Amino acid sequence: MWNDEAQHVFLVGAKSLGAYGGYETFINKLTEYHQNNEKIKYHVACKANGDGYMDLNKTEGAEIISEHKFRYHNAECFRIHVPEKLGPAQAIYYDVAALKECCKIMKEQKIHQPIVYIMACRIGPFMKHYYKKIHKFGGKVYLNPDGHEWMRAKWNKSVRRYWKVSEQMMVKWSDLVICDSVTIEKYIHKCYDRKGIGNKNPKTTFIAYGAETRKSKLADDDKKLVNWYKSKGLKAHEYYLVVGRFVPENNYETMIREFMRSGSKKDFAIITNMNEKFLDELECKLHFRADKRIKFVGTVYDQEMLMKIRENSYGYFHGHEVGGTNPSLLEALSSTNLNLLLDVGFNREVAEDTAIYWTKEQGNLAGLIGRADEINAAKRLQLGQKAKQRIRDVYSWKYICERYEEEFLK
């Protein structure tokens, strides 16, 4: 369906299309909104195995072409097998293997002037090589630097040093750095203007992540929804909610500890992928299993139902402190009336005065929960309307995808 002049765009760095991760959500939406755009042809790398891989049997609309290729949202997707014995180095292997496959596709299909858009800064030591190869096709390298990967709690000091050096090299060997947060864009210039890159300031632009601005298609009495509530011991509008990856830097420990200290009569529902080691660590510290209000309810992959669960929550907690514009925050602002956010620059930048904020100081969030329980319905609705307007004005997927079209077709 694409014309001969279509701009080829290769997307590298996400594990799949449409999972919980920010990049996965982004690629899913970008290809969805551009699937009938004849001016752009997408090529997407996906994992064939391991954590977060692309399971084609669970992906409605995926057209399998071969063992390693499929079409989804009119994008040509290719699967990369990753040796799981590599442990944490899998992510580096995956991105390098994906870039190698991109160059192979460019050669086979005689693609000229492609854009290779790389998400995250994992492969700095390899970038000079691939930057030059891509430029031989007349192409350009775009980078989304994500947030501060080197600050994540799961990494030891040597790994953190690698991520920081890798970030510097990725910025150096990119033609454009697309930042999903103004805070991240300022950070890139503060760290890398005229530093180690031949007195050449990195070229940057700001394009945020997006969110839907509509309500869920599910009715309040939908049988699937009602059965889910019953199985989890939850009642609509009688629970606080969090949705996100189960990692330390998302501050689950603080949120659970403070909720246990609060006198709230509501439940705290946690939708996340289970990490048994981290779960056991939290139980040893907090003994949360003794508090019947704390409910780990597993994952919800049905996007309409997840949207409805957000809409029906009394309030939403957001504890992310590492990263740029976080998708789960945007989705909460577009669905939930009362949002309680960790007070960091990223979250303030996105929500502004449409949410209320907490710190990690002992007792701060517990006190806020007590006050939040007393906020009347009219005030919650007012906050929710402001949050939804904020999303419509700045973060709608339609707007974000239009911005990317402009950038890719320059």
Side-chain angles (χ1 to χ4, degrees):
M1 63 165 286
W2 296 278
N3 60 58
D4 292 338
E5 301 301 319
Q7 174 65 61
H8 289 257
V9 178
F10 291 79
L11 302 172
V12 172
K15 297 175 183 177
S16 62
L17 292 89
Y20 284 141
Y23 288 138
E24 288 76 17
T25 302
F26 162 66
I27 289 180
N28 191 39
K29 290 299 180 181
L30 186 68
T31 54
E32 176 190 339
Y33 275 77
H34 287 170
Q35 60 186 310
N36 297 315
N37 190 330
E38 296 185 11
K39 298 176 183 177
I40 303 174
K41 181 173 182 177
Y42 287 108
H43 305 261
V44 184
C46 296
K47 284 184 71 175
N49 63 303
D51 178 51
Y53 80 103
M54 190 75 180
D55 187 346
L56 297 183
N57 295 320
K58 295 181 180 178
T59 308
E60 186 177 350
E63 177 190 346
I64 298 175
I65 298 172
S66 67
E67 183 181 354
H68 300 291
K69 293 182 181 179
F70 65 97
R71 188 172 289 108
Y72 182 72
H73 289 161
N74 274 329
E76 288 189 1
C77 307
F78 53 95
R79 305 172 80 206
I80 302 294
H81 187 275
V82 181
E84 295 184 47
K85 64 181 180 181
L86 294 176
Q90 286 182 55
I92 297 170
Y93 177 96
Y94 171 57
D95 284 2
V96 171
L99 280 182
K100 184 177 180 181
E101 185 66 20
C102 289
C103 293
K104 180 182 175 184
I105 292 169
M106 292 172 204
K107 185 176 181 180
E108 290 176 348
Q109 298 187 17
K110 296 181 172 59
I111 295 171
H112 299 289
Q113 298 183 323
I115 291 170
V116 180
Y117 188 20
I118 304 171
M119 280 144 271
C121 297
R122 293 181 282 254
I123 54 171
F126 305 90
M127 269 315 300
K128 180 178 180 181
H129 171 74
Y130 283 101
Y131 179 88
K132 291 188 173 183
K133 285 196 74 169
I134 291 162
H135 272 242
K136 284 183 178 178
F137 292 97
K140 294 285 180 69
V141 175
Y142 290 3
L143 170 69
N144 187 305
D146 198 9
H148 305 313
E149 181 67 32
W150 47 273
M151 289 176 61
R152 295 194 187 277
K154 64 182 177 179
W155 305 126
N156 60 38
K157 287 184 179 179
S158 60
V159 174
R160 289 185 189 189
R161 279 197 298 271
Y162 171 83
W163 287 131
K164 185 62 177 168
V165 171
S166 182
E167 177 185 87
Q168 180 179 346
M169 297 174 77
M170 293 290 287
V171 171
K172 176 178 180 178
W173 298 108
S174 298
D175 298 293
L176 177 67
V177 181
I178 301 178
C179 304
D180 60 69
S181 159
V182 172
T183 305
I184 287 292
E185 186 173 24
K186 289 177 180 176
Y187 159 80
I188 292 294
H189 284 289
K190 181 180 178 181
C191 287
Y192 302 119
D193 278 6
R194 299 179 298 280
K195 285 187 179 180
I197 49 177
N199 293 322
K200 171 190 163 188
N201 295 339
K203 183 182 177 184
T204 67
T205 191
F206 163 64
I207 308 178
Y209 282 124
E212 295 292 354
T213 55
R214 63 174 177 82
K215 279 186 165 290
S216 171
K217 297 173 184 176
L218 291 188
D220 287 329
D221 60 353
D222 184 273
K223 188 175 180 180
K224 180 169 54 176
L225 178 70
V226 171
N227 288 341
W228 187 85
Y229 277 138
K230 186 176 180 181
S231 69
K232 305 303 180 184
L234 296 171
K235 293 181 180 178
H237 311 295
E238 291 297 324
Y239 59 91
Y240 287 89
L241 177 69
V242 66
V243 180
R245 289 191 304 154
F246 194 47
V247 291
E249 59 267 20
N250 289 350
N251 286 295
Y252 284 94
E253 180 179 343
T254 300
M255 291 186 289
I256 294 171
R257 183 190 66 231
E258 294 294 303
F259 194 88
M260 292 174 69
R261 282 181 174 162
S262 78
S264 181
K265 298 292 192 292
K266 304 184 191 308
D267 290 315
F268 180 16
I270 302 167
I271 295 180
T272 189
N273 53 315
M274 280 303 178
N275 178 327
E276 294 298 336
K277 181 183 177 184
F278 185 35
L279 193 69
D280 291 342
E281 288 175 4
L282 289 184
E283 173 61 19
C284 287
K285 290 180 181 179
L286 307 175
H287 307 292
F288 66 83
R289 290 191 174 102
D291 191 328
K292 301 302 181 185
R293 300 172 300 168
I294 310 296
K295 300 180 187 295
F296 281 85
V297 296
T299 53
V300 178
Y301 289 107
D302 184 321
Q303 295 302 303
E304 292 299 323
M305 191 158 96
L306 185 58
M307 190 183 294
K308 191 68 175 179
I309 292 167
R310 283 193 175 98
E311 290 171 11
N312 285 349
S313 65
Y314 180 85
Y316 187 88
F317 295 130
H318 187 74
H320 291 51
E321 64 177 325
V322 177
T325 306
N326 188 269
S328 64
L329 172 56
L330 297 177
E331 288 156 2
L333 292 172
S334 69
S335 299
T336 308
N337 286 334
L338 181 61
N339 289 281
L340 296 80
L341 317 182
L342 178 62
D343 194 357
V344 293
F346 300 116
N347 297 337
R348 284 266 184 189
E349 176 190 321
V350 173
E352 294 187 337
D353 63 349
T354 70
I356 54 180
Y357 295 88
W358 50 274
T359 71
K360 293 195 286 183
E361 182 182 353
Q362 188 168 312
N364 181 271
L365 179 54
L368 185 61
I369 292 168
R371 296 191 295 277
D373 278 352
E374 301 302 319
I375 297 176
N376 62 44
K379 178 61 176 176
R380 295 200 309 273
L381 180 60
Q382 182 184 37
L383 280 169
Q385 288 172 339
K386 286 178 69 177
K388 291 170 180 60
Q389 190 59 50
R390 174 77 176 147
I391 295 296
R392 282 192 290 271
D393 290 346
V394 187
Y395 295 104
S396 73
W397 274 121
K398 182 177 183 296
Y399 172 73
I400 298 304
C401 291
E402 286 172 354
R403 283 284 292 109
Y404 268 98
E405 179 181 8
E406 290 172 9
E407 200 60 60
F408 289 153
L409 297 180
K410 276 185 179 177

